[in-house]
Amino acid sequence: MKKKYLLLMALLPAVVSAQTKWTETKTGDIVFVTNKGGQNLGYSATSGVKLLTADGLAFKDLNKNGKLDKYEDWRLPVDVRAKDLASKMSIEQIGGLMLYSRHQSIPTMPGGPFAGFYNGKPFSESGANAYDLSDQQKKFLKDDNVRHVLITSVQSPEVAAKWNNNAQAYVEGIGLGIPNNNSSDPRHGTVANAEFNAGAGGNISMWPGSLGLAATFDPSVTQNFGRIAGQEYRALGIATALSPQVDIATDPRWNRVSGTFGEDPQLAADMARAYIDGFQTSTGTKEIANGWGYNSVNAMVKHWPGGGAGEGGRDAHYGFGKYAVYPGNNFEQHFIPFTQGAFKLSGKTGMAAAVMPYYTISYNQDKKNHENVANNYNKYIITDLLRTKYKYDGVVCTDWLVTGDETVINSFLSGKSWGMEKATIAERHYKILMAGVDQFGGNNDLGPVVAAYQMGVKEHGEPFMRARFEQSAVRLLRGIFRTGLFENPYLDTEATKTTVGNAEFMAAGYQTQLKSIVMLKNKGNVLPLQTGKTVYVPKKFTPAGKNFLGMPIAEKTEYPVNMDIVKKYFKVTENPDEADYALVFIASPIGHGGYDADDAKNGGNGYLPVSLQYGKYIAETARATSLAGGDPLEKSANRSYKNKSETSTNVTDLAMVTDTYAKMKGKPVIVSVNINNPMVFAELEKQANAIIADFGVQGQASLDILTGKAEPSALLPLQMPLDMKTVEAQFEDVPHDMKCYTDSEGHVYDFGYGLNWKGIIKDARTVKYSKAVAKL
């Protein structure tokens, strides 16, 4: 009998093996597991993770305890897994999950605010690989338990994929084995001087900016962008998009207008819905459940409750722009892109995975507690409105650096704790948690989160605060479970190289660029231009200045378009007398942001107008007393800029048009303008025979429109004002409230206006959205 038992036991492993429903392969240190009829897995052979078998299927023993925990069981619903894992996490581990790293480039930069080192040395001196983890990254991943990492520039898609695999293997070997949820700000912008080759790929596909997507007035185009961009993100190891930006651009001066879908609430809602459906939805074999899966990217829609109403058009990245004002009593209309778009998706994922509030103090809009604190701190705006009224239970993540100390009123990198400047950093974290927020953007430091927890224990008791932390943990973990990262966070670098920027994706992006260009003027049907003719292209002068980080920009004079590409369409001359046409490439006016430190030092309040014209503008009709104001670093609460002046930093762009017009002596002048904000066309329109406008395209796309290779079909997603008095008279919080410019052909540059070869475009798009405007 004993011999028979021993024989049976000897045979048992073979029996179990015969019943096993999984196989594995190894690529380098990464082991890939195929579960027949279940989720496929990936783990690092160096992380210490082993496989568990249940019902013949394989599971990862992430916490290395030798048993299958609920959170490790991919057969269970996401919330069951997330609640189980949250209950197992320490406060320090949950606190780390609540952190969102500062900007990380791969490899890291040698200097500046986001510098990193490798064994104490800059990358160039370290001998490290571009895809190795920096000292700082290892520290915040291990010591601070950070699992949400913001990726900026990468050396190449292959390097990004290898860095992802290194980072995932590193965190897989720590604690409970929670994967990284890497993220990105929008990264599909165009390189203006790049040539499109239908047979070639690139580092990533290039698409017009958000205003350009809006200018198509076609949500299906935006959804296709999201579908393609989502695949590229996942191939780079990115599972969360810090987008879309759906603020309605109700003040034309705001310097973040270019990141929006324009000023119309309904168009913005439709574009938001399409964008998020494209990014979040997985189909076919890539779907895990409920539309989520391995092609899904969590969308973090921003900025609740809308950031487009900054007083005077100033931006709340800076202390001088901290207030949003509502002279038109139009606060709730700013919710529409969220409540009717991002929270009411057509696809199965239902609503945006995450929401980011804006920096601003929504001045006097707290109807319950009457607090004038930034949206991130405001319980009425986060809990009473977003959570309770609109039933949003996804992640709420602050904008970056909102818990930091304000050190100077005009620095992009200074802390932005508006309304809470006198509180300690720990007190700010606690206030944000009690407002209903889950996550702290741009903070790698666990200390203040744990301190905030201890404050809550003292005020509410440990059970209350433990439950509050687990509530946020569940929300944050959903985004990692839904996208399959717990099962397989690893990338096949060869697949990354064939996915990111492939020819199909590049072609789709280029076609959308063509659809995003608006033709504003075509006097005498001068367009389309005949190829092979001779053209004159003036060079563009850019004065010395500083970028938004305060870093110097050198003076330069150069062609504003790739002349090698121009020469494929036309003969080129530097003598206007020899030219048949002149092509002038300019950008919309660029101001100083509405503040001047030298003015403040010299006894003024520092405030200047934000101008939408090139030439000198004197704000004679501006408010004598601002609607909101006050900052610990200011002497006066009155932020008026009445009777002060502003001249655009690129006023020479206007000179390019006027000088060329004179030099061409009546021959056609064609102007191509890259628009970041609405602009006063009165300064230049009469000196142009034709005008096209783009919102971020390759110069080649503009040339294809100008020469008739493609017909213009886009429409203005923004009003173009008659003049700056009109801009001063409009309300910061109200869309479609400006008198628009009428050109020499009698065409009004209003929302929804655009030309094709036959004239003013009137189609289903203009009918739909003109009706939406009529209801406002």
Side-chain angles (χ1 to χ4, degrees):
M1 185 70 180
K2 187 175 181 180
K3 287 183 178 179
K4 287 183 179 179
Y5 175 76
L6 291 173
L7 179 62
L8 179 62
M9 293 303 293
L11 290 172
L12 189 56
V15 173
V16 172
S17 178
Q19 291 176 341
T20 296
K21 302 173 184 176
W22 54 271
T23 58
E24 63 179 40
T25 57
K26 191 174 181 182
T27 303
D29 289 331
I30 308 303
V31 181
F32 294 103
V33 179
T34 301
N35 271 309
K36 187 177 180 180
Q39 293 303 315
N40 296 330
L41 313 178
Y43 67 97
S44 171
T46 65
S47 69
V49 164
K50 305 295 183 185
L51 292 182
L52 300 169
T53 301
D55 300 326
L57 298 166
F59 303 84
K60 290 158 65 174
D61 185 11
L62 290 166
N63 60 2
K64 308 170 188 67
N65 67 353
K67 67 175 185 177
L68 182 61
D69 294 286
K70 288 181 180 179
Y71 86 91
E72 297 165 336
D73 190 343
W74 44 258
R75 298 169 299 183
L76 296 174
V78 163
D79 272 19
V80 172
R81 299 178 71 187
K83 288 175 183 177
D84 177 64
L85 179 51
S87 72
K88 291 175 165 60
M89 297 174 72
S90 68
I91 291 305
E92 288 75 16
Q93 287 170 327
I94 295 176
L97 202 62
M98 290 176 165
L99 301 176
Y100 223 123
S101 84
R102 300 194 76 182
H103 301 64
Q104 303 295 312
S105 60
I106 303 170
T108 58
M109 299 177 182
F114 307 119
F117 301 94
Y118 301 81
N119 293 321
K121 298 179 180 179
F123 173 70
S124 60
E125 301 172 14
S126 67
N129 296 307
Y131 45 79
D132 288 341
L133 300 184
S134 71
D135 301 341
Q136 290 78 8
Q137 289 162 358
K138 290 177 182 177
K139 180 185 181 302
F140 68 64
L141 291 172
K142 184 177 181 181
D143 298 345
D144 296 294
N145 300 309
V146 172
R147 291 297 179 272
H148 292 81
V149 181
L150 174 56
I151 305 298
T152 55
S153 61
V154 297
Q155 190 177 90
S156 69
E158 182 180 7
V159 165
K162 289 182 176 180
W163 181 91
N164 170 80
N165 289 354
N166 284 339
Q168 297 293 7
Y170 186 76
V171 298
E172 191 173 70
I174 301 171
L176 296 164
I178 299 171
N180 275 359
N181 183 350
N182 301 322
S183 69
S184 175
D185 280 309
R187 58 193 312 117
H188 281 83
T190 58
V191 178
N193 64 358
E195 182 174 6
F196 175 71
N197 180 336
N203 279 341
I204 200 163
S205 60
M206 291 190 285
W207 300 71
S210 293
L211 277 178
L213 293 174
T216 70
F217 277 61
D218 184 352
S220 70
V221 169
T222 299
Q223 185 164 342
N224 189 46
F225 162 70
R227 180 185 65 82
I228 289 173
Q231 292 176 66
E232 292 182 306
Y233 272 35
R234 290 306 300 267
L236 292 168
I238 295 166
T240 292
L242 301 185
S243 58
Q245 183 191 337
V246 304
D247 315 80
I248 50 174
T250 48
D251 192 286
R253 298 164 291 189
W254 190 37
N255 73 1
R256 301 199 69 178
V257 166
S258 63
T260 73
F261 292 123
E263 68 181 294
D264 183 66
Q266 192 57 57
L267 179 61
D270 292 346
M271 290 294 173
R273 185 185 311 108
Y275 186 109
I276 298 166
D277 272 333
F279 264 99
Q280 290 192 170
T281 305
S282 290
T283 59
T285 58
K286 294 293 185 179
E287 182 179 2
I288 297 172
N290 303 315
W292 291 100
Y294 292 103
N295 274 349
S296 297
V297 175
N298 300 290
M300 185 180 289
V301 63
K302 55 192 188 184
H303 305 88
W304 177 262
E311 183 165 16
R314 294 183 295 270
D315 178 31
H317 276 97
Y318 309 90
F320 60 74
K322 67 200 290 185
Y323 295 100
V325 294
Y326 301 88
N329 297 314
N330 203 40
F331 182 52
E332 292 191 0
Q333 195 174 59
H334 289 253
F335 307 169
I336 289 174
F338 299 91
T339 60
Q340 296 183 25
F343 302 164
K344 288 186 178 179
L345 303 181
S346 299
K348 291 194 286 185
T349 63
M351 64 172 56
V355 169
M356 181 187 293
Y358 199 44
Y359 294 115
T360 44
I361 295 171
S362 295
Y363 192 66
N364 287 348
Q365 298 307 306
D366 183 341
K367 306 304 182 186
K368 185 175 182 180
N369 305 307
H370 305 289
E371 277 193 301
N372 277 314
V373 292
N375 298 314
N376 302 277
Y377 292 96
N378 194 297
K379 189 172 183 179
Y380 172 76
I381 285 172
I382 303 300
T383 293
D384 295 330
L385 289 179
L386 181 61
R387 297 275 191 215
T388 303
K389 183 174 182 178
Y390 296 109
K391 298 177 171 52
Y392 183 76
D393 191 39
V395 170
V396 177
C397 176
T398 74
D399 215 326
W400 263 233
L401 300 180
V402 303
T403 57
D405 290 328
E406 181 187 23
T407 55
V408 62
I409 200 168
N410 62 338
S411 171
F412 185 87
L413 295 174
S414 181
K416 309 167 200 312
S417 50
W418 311 145
M420 293 291 293
E421 295 92 344
K422 296 180 180 179
T424 67
I425 291 176
E427 286 169 345
R428 292 171 194 154
H429 282 75
Y430 182 53
K431 175 80 168 175
I432 285 170
L433 284 170
M434 292 300 100
V437 175
D438 304 297
Q439 198 167 30
F440 304 95
N443 179 14
N444 302 346
D445 184 5
L446 178 60
V449 184
V450 175
Y453 176 82
Q454 292 164 348
M455 289 178 185
V457 169
K458 186 175 181 179
E459 182 174 356
H460 298 287
E462 183 122 27
F464 175 90
M465 280 308 289
R466 175 75 204 189
R468 173 67 190 86
F469 264 51
E470 286 192 26
Q471 179 186 45
S472 285
V474 169
R475 290 170 179 152
L476 291 159
L477 289 167
R478 284 175 186 150
I480 311 178
F481 280 116
R482 286 168 171 168
T483 51
L485 292 171
F486 273 91
E487 278 56 73
N488 180 23
Y490 297 97
L491 299 172
D492 178 338
T493 55
E494 292 304 312
T496 291
K497 288 192 287 186
T498 58
T499 299
V500 180
N502 67 41
E504 176 192 347
F505 294 172
M506 295 294 285
Y510 189 76
Q511 288 303 310
T512 302
Q513 291 181 48
L514 295 173
K515 291 179 180 179
S516 74
I517 297 172
V518 183
M519 184 164 67
L520 296 173
K521 183 177 181 181
N522 192 17
K523 185 177 182 180
N525 294 322
V526 65
L527 300 181
L529 302 177
Q530 184 178 339
T531 58
K533 292 286 189 177
T534 302
V535 298
Y536 166 68
V537 180
K539 289 184 177 179
K540 179 183 177 78
F541 171 73
T542 302
K546 294 181 179 180
N547 67 9
F548 70 97
L549 291 175
M551 300 171 70
I553 298 173
E555 174 185 307
K556 58 184 178 182
T557 300
E558 60 186 0
Y559 283 112
V561 64
N562 186 330
M563 294 305 290
D564 290 334
I565 297 176
V566 173
K567 290 172 183 176
K568 294 183 178 183
Y569 294 79
F570 304 105
K571 298 172 185 174
V572 175
T573 181
E574 294 186 4
N575 182 358
D577 290 337
E578 297 175 353
D580 298 302
Y581 316 118
L583 304 181
V584 186
F585 293 86
I586 62 174
S588 55
I590 302 170
H592 295 88
Y595 188 83
D596 179 31
D598 289 336
D599 177 78
K601 288 177 183 177
N602 294 326
N605 65 0
Y607 290 88
L608 299 177
V610 178
S611 179
L612 301 180
Q613 67 184 41
Y614 294 103
K616 185 176 182 179
Y617 163 64
I618 302 174
E620 296 173 344
T621 60
R623 296 183 184 111
T625 304
S626 63
L627 297 178
D631 185 275
L633 301 180
E634 289 182 321
K635 295 178 181 178
S636 171
N638 185 6
R639 296 181 160 198
S640 174
Y641 49 84
K642 185 176 176 66
N643 293 323
K644 291 186 178 179
S645 64
E646 165 78 332
T647 301
S648 168
T649 61
N650 63 332
V651 64
T652 50
D653 281 22
L654 175 61
M656 288 170 66
V657 178
T658 55
D659 291 350
T660 301
Y661 176 76
K663 291 175 180 176
M664 289 298 289
K665 301 172 183 175
K667 290 181 290 185
V669 175
I670 317 301
V671 173
S672 176
V673 56
N674 170 238
I675 291 182
N676 285 303
N677 287 80
M679 56 184 282
V680 177
F681 273 94
E683 292 179 293
L684 62 88
E685 176 268 321
K686 289 183 174 59
Q687 297 170 87
N689 298 80
I691 303 172
I692 62 170
D694 73 80
F695 307 95
V697 299
Q698 294 166 256
Q700 184 176 351
S702 299
L703 292 167
D704 278 350
I705 292 289
L706 292 174
T707 57
K709 284 192 173 183
E711 183 172 12
S713 61
L715 307 167
L716 282 178
L718 301 157
Q719 292 184 315
M720 298 294 142
L722 172 63
D723 52 30
M724 280 305 298
K725 286 185 178 179
T726 297
V727 173
E728 295 289 0
Q730 59 88 40
F731 288 153
E732 284 93 335
D733 58 324
V734 178
H736 308 298
D737 66 338
M738 291 192 295
K739 186 174 183 180
C740 297
Y741 180 71
T742 302
D743 72 9
S744 62
E745 308 305 291
H747 297 153
V748 182
Y749 293 4
D750 204 345
F751 171 83
Y753 163 74
L755 299 172
N756 58 21
W757 303 138
K758 295 178 181 178
I760 296 176
I761 298 171
K762 294 182 180 179
D763 57 20
R765 300 171 301 162
T766 59
V767 170
K768 177 179 180 179
Y769 291 104
S770 64
K771 286 183 178 179
V773 172
K775 291 178 182 178
L776 294 176

